[in-house]
Amino acid sequence: MTQPQEVKSAERGSVTRDALARAGLAVLQRDGLDALSMRAVAAELGVRAPSLYWHVRSKEELLDLLGDALMLAAAPDLPVRSGDWRADLGAIAWGFREFLRVRRDAVRVLAGRFLHGPGMWTVMEQQLEVLHDAGFSRQDATLASYTLGITVTGFMLNEQAAVSAAEAEGRLGRRAAVDEIAGLIEGLPADRYPHLVASARAMAGPDMDERFRFVVDRFLDGLEALPRTLPT
C-alpha cells in the first residue's frame, strides 16, 4: 500500500519549475489573474498545492515565475535588428503590445515587477544593445529601456480596462461607450468649459492604434534629444 509520504515525494518529483510555469500560464490564459491561485495551478498539474512550495513559496513568487516565463515567450518574437535604432525600438514596442493583447492578464502580471530571470535578461539585452550601438550612455540606455517597458505596459493597462460602467457591464461596446462620454462632454456649458467642449470629438476620435503610435513616437522623439556618442 502506498504511504502518504511516498505520494508526496512522487508528486514533488513530478513537478518541475518549467512544468509549474506552463501550468500557471495555462490557468492565467483560461481563467484570468483573479482566479489564479496555488491550488488552481496544482489542480492543473494534477498534484496537491503543497507540492508547489518546493519551487515557489507564495503566490507572489509564482507571479515572479510567470512573469519571467511570459518574457521568455516574448523573446523569440523580438524583431530582427534593422540598424536603425528608432525603427528597432518602435518595432519592439509594437510587438510587445501585440504580445500582451493576446495573453489574458499578462500585463497585470508584468506591470511594476522588476523581473530577474532569463526571459527578462534576453529582452533587456537586446534593448540595451540597440541603445548602446546608437551611442546612448549606459545610464540613458537603462532609463530608456525602463521607460519603454512602462510606456507599453501602462498603455496596455488602460487599453484593456473598461472606459465606463456601461462597457464593463456589457451594455455598450468600447466605441459606443467612448462616443457616449464624448456626447456628455459636448453638452457641458461652453462658457465654462470652452476648450473641453471644443475638444470632445478630438479626444474621442483616435482609435487605440493611433493613440499608441503617438505615445511611441513622442517617446522616441524624446530619446532623439539626448546626447549620443559613437561607440568605440
Side-chain angles (χ1 to χ4, degrees), residues 196-210:
L196 187 57
V197 171
S199 301
R201 291 299 158 183
M203 288 189 290
D207 64 17
M208 297 310 289
D209 284 351
E210 290 179 85

Side-chain angles (χ1 to χ4, degrees), residues 2 16 26 32 36 41 66 79 94 112 130 141 146 154 159 163 188 191 198 209 213 229-230 232:
T2 304
T16 64
L36 182 74
V41 176
L66 296 188
W94 280 91
V130 169
Y146 168 77
E159 182 174 3
V163 299
L188 293 172
D191 57 340
D209 284 351
R213 184 175 294 104
T229 58
L230 293 177
T232 57

Side-chain angles (χ1 to χ4, degrees), residues 94-115:
W94 280 91
F96 190 37
R97 175 181 176 233
E98 186 57 32
F99 178 84
L100 294 175
R101 287 177 72 173
V102 299
R103 286 165 177 81
R104 184 176 181 183
D105 285 343
V107 68
R108 293 177 60 196
V109 173
L110 295 172
R113 286 188 177 269
F114 193 167
L115 298 170

Side-chain angles (χ1 to χ4, degrees), residues 65-174:
L65 178 65
L66 296 188
D68 197 67
L70 285 165
M71 298 308 294
L72 197 60
D77 293 333
L78 289 170
V80 176
R81 290 190 57 187
S82 69
D84 179 336
W85 71 267
R86 183 175 177 124
D88 289 343
L89 286 185
I92 289 171
W94 280 91
F96 190 37
R97 175 181 176 233
E98 186 57 32
F99 178 84
L100 294 175
R101 287 177 72 173
V102 299
R103 286 165 177 81
R104 184 176 181 183
D105 285 343
V107 68
R108 293 177 60 196
V109 173
L110 295 172
R113 286 188 177 269
F114 193 167
L115 298 170
H116 45 281
M120 192 62 172
W121 299 335
T122 300
V123 172
M124 288 188 67
E125 178 66 20
Q126 191 204 46
Q127 292 180 16
L128 293 174
E129 181 183 40
V130 169
L131 290 158
H132 176 259
D133 289 352
F136 291 96
S137 70
R138 292 296 186 189
Q139 182 69 74
D140 285 347
T142 57
L143 289 173
S145 179
Y146 168 77
T147 305
L148 178 63
I150 63 172
T151 296
V152 179
T153 55
F155 186 92
M156 287 304 299
L157 283 170
N158 282 277
E159 182 174 3
Q160 294 182 347
V163 299
S164 68
E167 184 190 2
E169 294 167 358
R171 291 184 279 110
L172 290 175
R174 169 63 63 96

